[in-house]
Amino acid sequence: MTPLPEAGIPAASAGETTLGDHVLGQLLRLGATVGLSGADTAVYGQALLDSLGDAARRPLSLPPASSSFLSDDHTPVEFSLACTADGAPALRVLVEPGWAHGDMGDSGRAGLDAIRAMAARWNFSTDRLDSLADLFLPAEAEGPLSLWYALDLRAGGVPGVKVYLNPSAAGPEHAERTVREALRRLGYGGAFAHLPPAAGYPFLALDLGDWTSPRVKVYVKHSGMSADDACALSSDSGAAAADVRYFFHAAAGALQPSGQEGDGTLRLLRRSGLTCHSFTGGDSAPSGFTLHIPVRDYARDDEEALARATALLTRFGMDPSVLRDSLSALTRRQLTDGVGLIAYLALVYERNRQPRITAYLSSEAYLTRPPQEQYAQAGHVPAQRTRNALNPERKAAGPAGPHTAQKEVTWSRTASKL
């Protein structure tokens, strides 16, 4: 039986599109794009809707239920496509299950309930997560998030599950201490010493369920990152410096007009770059390294972002066609009509594995960010741009959701103001 909606979360009227309709449709189309069976994708879609609860029935004619940090337009769902040179792309979905709760403590408790329901569904243990609950899920939690989960969508209907936690839940001044203590409890007492200097620790992530080598991952924020910084941060990962440098410049572009210092060094001066450091098997030294570039803040529009991603995938021997098809599965709008559909590009190195490139893809349930005109003609992109990289014959279509506006402060019925 379908549960009744919670107070404050009205059910949609007949014929009205809901959040659940929107993200489930995207998931089903993306699953077909990467070759998942309809049955497997349906299982994952049901798990997604179950985790959102009655918030999935919230009509898109209403503003977002809370100011989710997961995406720029506050949609509590993001997709990603992980590509390698030696295999098929992997589809993932990232979800904030407690999205409808404005209070972070309540959001965390709702998220923990969702993970425990998945553990019962797919028969995995939550012991490692439970051991950290007092650190990351306090009754009076702070910060822009409490608990997110990601599903690595695999053939057979049983996913890999990842949980993302906020090290600043007890206050940003305690984030470093929280990361140290979490690593110690998880058996990585010497790991913190291997992390680079940080401007912040936005996430700590755990692999739960069926993983060959379950990881603990610490995400580190770096203010004003340059290509030289990225090379230094990756020096112990086995990554070739030339590849890291190429990735940085291809993903970030020319960084004009705000990204150049007096000495000519190009830096990420808008949204910061991130690195992720993975630990497995109790080893103190990282077994994996990821460089995340927020491409959406350094490109005019999504056509340019796709051109950069295409250049990178080609450089690393990966097929870019699935990414193009995935964007078509997400939206009908033209890529030149907005920026942010491709939110991040990431270069991933893990021990004894081929490098990966991951593209993080926005759902855009509530708004499409307009193009950033200051980046027009900002610099070369090492790939041929086309008039419309998805479909050169298609005319402009409306955005994915009913609201389109710049970032501001409040919400109105005619504009999404973040």
Side-chain angles (χ1 to χ4, degrees):
M1 176 182 294
T2 302
L4 295 174
E6 296 177 3
I9 307 179
S13 302
E16 193 170 16
T17 300
T18 66
L19 174 68
D21 296 333
H22 181 83
V23 297
L24 179 60
Q26 289 176 321
L27 180 60
L28 293 173
R29 293 189 297 272
L30 286 167
T33 297
V34 301
L36 283 173
S37 72
D40 288 343
T41 310
V43 167
Y44 297 136
Q46 188 61 56
L48 166 59
L49 296 181
D50 289 348
S51 72
L52 288 172
D54 291 312
R57 299 177 62 192
R58 185 184 179 87
L60 290 185
S61 57
L62 295 177
S66 69
S67 299
S68 176
F69 178 64
L70 192 149
S71 63
D72 286 348
D73 75 332
H74 305 325
T75 306
V77 175
E78 178 189 72
F79 302 97
S80 61
L81 196 66
C83 302
T84 63
D86 59 355
L91 177 64
R92 296 157 182 173
V93 59
L94 177 67
V95 182
E96 182 170 18
W99 172 72
H101 299 275
D103 178 82
M104 284 295 103
D106 291 340
S107 178
R109 286 184 283 276
L112 190 58
D113 288 345
I115 295 301
R116 288 175 173 157
M118 290 181 187
R121 182 194 298 253
W122 287 307
N123 192 30
F124 63 82
S125 172
T126 63
D127 287 351
R128 294 205 304 167
L129 174 59
D130 294 338
S131 74
L132 304 179
D134 62 309
L135 295 175
F136 293 97
L137 301 171
E140 301 296 330
E142 298 184 26
L145 72 134
S146 187
L147 183 151
W148 299 345
Y149 74 83
L151 301 183
D152 186 66
L153 307 184
R154 303 168 181 172
V158 179
V161 180
K162 295 181 272 190
V163 175
Y164 294 79
L165 303 167
N166 176 21
S168 296
E173 69 275 15
H174 300 302
E176 179 178 323
R177 184 177 68 189
T178 297
V179 171
R180 284 181 182 272
E181 175 61 15
L183 290 171
R184 185 194 68 78
R185 292 187 190 182
L186 294 168
Y188 298 93
F192 191 88
H194 292 269
L195 295 175
Y201 301 95
F203 316 108
L204 183 141
L206 298 173
D207 288 344
L208 302 176
D210 185 17
W211 297 88
T212 302
S213 299
R215 300 160 297 176
V216 178
K217 302 192 293 181
V218 179
Y219 289 75
V220 179
K221 177 182 175 181
H222 305 278
S223 298
M225 181 191 287
S226 69
D228 287 343
D229 296 335
C231 290
L233 290 164
S234 64
S235 60
D236 295 330
S237 68
D243 286 342
V244 174
R245 189 175 300 278
Y246 181 91
F247 177 86
F248 181 93
H249 285 300
L255 299 177
Q256 300 293 334
S258 61
Q260 188 167 351
E261 291 188 342
D263 62 0
T265 301
L266 296 173
R267 296 185 178 275
L268 301 177
L269 298 183
R270 301 188 76 190
R271 201 181 308 246
S272 297
L274 304 176
T275 58
C276 173
H277 307 265
S278 302
F279 300 91
T280 56
D283 293 342
S284 293
S287 60
F289 168 86
T290 305
L291 173 63
H292 296 264
I293 302 294
V295 62
R296 68 188 181 281
D297 284 278
Y298 301 98
R300 179 194 181 278
D301 54 41
D302 284 307
E303 183 179 14
E304 184 171 322
L306 176 59
R308 296 181 191 178
T310 297
L312 286 165
L313 292 166
T314 302
R315 157 92 175 209
F316 285 85
M318 304 169 193
D319 180 7
S321 65
V322 177
L323 176 57
R324 291 194 296 270
D325 293 342
S326 294
L327 298 184
S328 292
L330 286 174
T331 184
R332 293 176 298 157
R333 74 165 173 86
Q334 293 217 23
L335 296 184
T336 51
D337 288 344
V339 65
L341 194 61
I342 302 177
Y344 275 88
L345 292 172
L347 177 63
V348 186
Y349 286 88
E350 290 185 356
R351 186 182 297 161
N352 301 323
R353 296 186 64 178
Q354 290 287 323
R356 296 199 306 274
I357 290 178
T358 301
Y360 294 83
L361 309 177
S362 301
S363 173
E364 292 190 345
Y366 292 100
L367 73 81
T368 296
R369 285 177 59 187
Q372 302 178 114
E373 297 300 338
Q374 69 268 35
Y375 284 101
Q377 308 299 321
H380 75 279
V381 176
Q384 180 66 39
R385 292 185 62 183
T386 62
R387 210 163 41 84
N388 183 333
L390 293 182
N391 185 345
E393 301 303 321
R394 187 171 58 212
K395 296 182 180 180
H403 308 289
T404 300
Q406 293 275 10
K407 282 189 176 182
E408 295 173 9
V409 186
T410 57
W411 176 271
S412 80
R413 288 298 301 271
T414 57
S416 177
K417 305 179 183 234
L418 310 183

